[in-house]
Amino acid sequence: MQESALWGWIGPLAVAVFGGILRFVRLAEPKAVVFDETYYAKDAYALLKYGAERAMLGDAENPIADKRLITDNLDIFKDCPSASECASFVAHPPLGKWMIGVGEWLFGMTPFGWRFAAAVVGTLSILILARVARRMTRSTLLGCFAGLLLALDGLHFVLSRTALLDIFLMFWVLAAFACLVVDRDRARERLVDWYETSPLSAQGPSLGARPWRIAAGVCLGAACAVKWSGVFFLIAFAVMSLMWDMGARRAIGLREPYKATFARDVPSLLAAVTAVPAVAYVLTWTGWFATANGWGRNWEQATSSGPAFFVIDSVRSWLQYHFEVLGFHSGLDDYHANMSEPWTWPVLFRPVSFHYPAELPPSACGADSCSQAVLGVGTPALWYGAVLALLGLVVRYVASRDWRAGAVLLTYGAGWLPWVYYATAQNRTMYLFYMIPLVPFMVLALTLGAGLALGRADAAPARRAAGAAVVGAFALIVLINFWWLYPVLSAETIPYQEWWARMLMDSWVAPAPK
């Protein structure tokens, strides 16, 4: 890597600041409880007050709690004779809601407060992706290109401004991947040092403590503690790290690289992808364990017979709760107007309407009819380009076994193929925004393709200029496409005709068929 380390930070930080400005400007708009914020913003507030989720006033037909929040009335919880009667059954672990709660604790129970944490992790994910792309390509320019594309993706932008869980899942998955890429480099450096300074052996050295892999385990545990779908990435990353270890020991010429991997590397790998994530996951449930307010907690029974029984009964109740959540997810097939099938996600066939008020005064936009929308949809130029880039990576991996292509393809498959299975086997209710953990890896596919288009640093000037023109033109198209969609991503009030002009397909407007 020829660029200075300083520019390796200045460039990605500048791109992250740009993306952060986009996300924080007008973050409190719309002043409404948007889509599933009706669950997660209020659950986060309950965690702050009670340590566990709590039953709210009203229901879907009469959202009393939502109406009170918008008028700054925080009297939104039911009054119950006992904690167990007010406990709320929730379908996801608590970490994402705790993260939302940080913003509410800092800035109050307001739209800005409950969206603050999403905007922070959305911005940080731009920086992380720029840095990991730089490490994978050995180019600060390509790292900044990756960060810029992520900053300009519509779905990433919308979820960075909404109090939903999926942006936090994306953040922890990306952070885990970045840690493993650093671990890969560090492990190879240590193997090379051993090769150059120590007597040769058939299996090579043990690499001892690998803090970056342990950090990846913490991040993967955190991903699972946001949504259980994080487990698919945990399995994929364990396989990926194992393959990288095998490749590293084979690359330095060991006579028994595979046996060495299982003897020297697998024990620490198993600890990093089992024990470490498990501990991280359990710690996020501290509020449930420490209070009487959680669903199925059985606090009086647990505290009736001493510390040992408290632990045993608490674990039993906690596991029973998990079985109930598993049953909920297995039977989730209710119709929703914005639901879609996973094989349609890469082409953005059906976005998710997060916000579209039924009535707006004509004076709001100076036209006869006005619209104010938050549409959860990716930037089409980026997503369609990513489909081609991913197909190109398949060819590249088959032809050259490029580890970077393999890592991106494995992660994309881990995040997408399980939903294809659930759609065919269970007809589960699903939405486009389930793709958000994969958007950084779609961007990495485009970045690797951009690196091929640019050519090597020592390529002919004409070759480099042509490649730079292609890559620059693509980045400009993505920027223009994002700018065109921006009003319907950010709840700007515009004439109805302008809103309609931005609907790429009829399916962006029509409800999903029953």
Side-chain angles (χ1 to χ4, degrees), residues 477-493:
I477 290 170
V478 171
L479 174 62
I480 294 171
N481 197 187
F482 175 81
W483 166 79
W484 173 248
L485 286 174
Y486 180 82
V488 300
L489 303 174
S490 60
E492 285 192 354
T493 303

Side-chain angles (χ1 to χ4, degrees), residues 238-465:
V239 172
M240 184 176 70
S241 189
L242 176 65
M243 294 175 66
W244 285 351
D245 285 349
M246 289 179 175
R249 291 185 181 274
R250 186 176 65 246
I252 62 169
L254 296 179
R255 291 195 302 272
E256 299 176 349
Y258 305 119
K259 184 183 295 186
T261 299
F262 281 96
R264 311 281 194 193
D265 301 320
V266 166
S268 64
L269 173 63
L270 289 176
V273 298
T274 56
V276 173
V279 171
Y281 179 83
V282 172
L283 286 175
T284 66
W285 287 84
T286 299
W288 187 91
F289 283 109
T291 70
N293 299 314
W295 178 268
R297 184 64 186 91
N298 290 332
W299 182 263
E300 292 183 4
Q301 177 178 313
T303 55
S304 63
S305 301
F309 184 79
F310 175 85
V311 173
I312 294 171
D313 191 71
S314 297
V315 171
R316 181 198 62 77
S317 299
W318 183 67
L319 292 176
Q320 177 61 34
Y321 186 5
H322 279 64
F323 283 118
E324 291 184 48
V325 172
L326 180 61
F328 170 85
H329 286 297
S330 300
L332 186 59
D333 57 2
D334 295 340
Y335 170 80
H336 192 284
N338 295 136
M339 63 190 291
S340 56
E341 305 292 357
W343 43 85
T344 69
W345 295 345
V347 294
L348 299 172
F349 183 72
R350 187 176 303 285
V352 179
S353 179
F354 283 16
H355 175 74
Y356 194 94
E359 295 183 7
L360 287 171
S363 59
C365 65
D368 294 337
S369 181
C370 303
S371 293
Q372 185 190 76
V374 176
L375 186 69
V377 67
T379 303
L382 190 157
W383 282 56
Y384 295 161
V387 171
L388 298 177
L390 287 163
L391 292 174
L393 287 189
V394 173
V395 175
R396 181 164 181 80
Y397 185 75
V398 171
S400 65
R401 294 295 189 271
D402 186 328
W403 70 271
R404 302 167 301 176
V408 172
L409 291 171
L410 178 63
T411 307
Y412 189 89
W416 184 58
L417 292 178
W419 296 118
V420 175
Y421 165 77
Y422 288 129
T424 55
Q426 299 181 4
N427 195 31
R428 191 184 189 279
T429 308
M430 289 175 281
Y431 306 93
L432 173 68
F433 59 79
Y434 290 4
M435 280 286 282
I436 188 61
L438 302 185
V439 171
F441 300 93
M442 293 159 54
V443 170
L444 280 177
L446 286 165
T447 303
L448 294 175
L452 293 175
L454 286 171
R456 297 175 60 88
D458 57 358
R463 165 73 176 80
R464 294 280 289 179

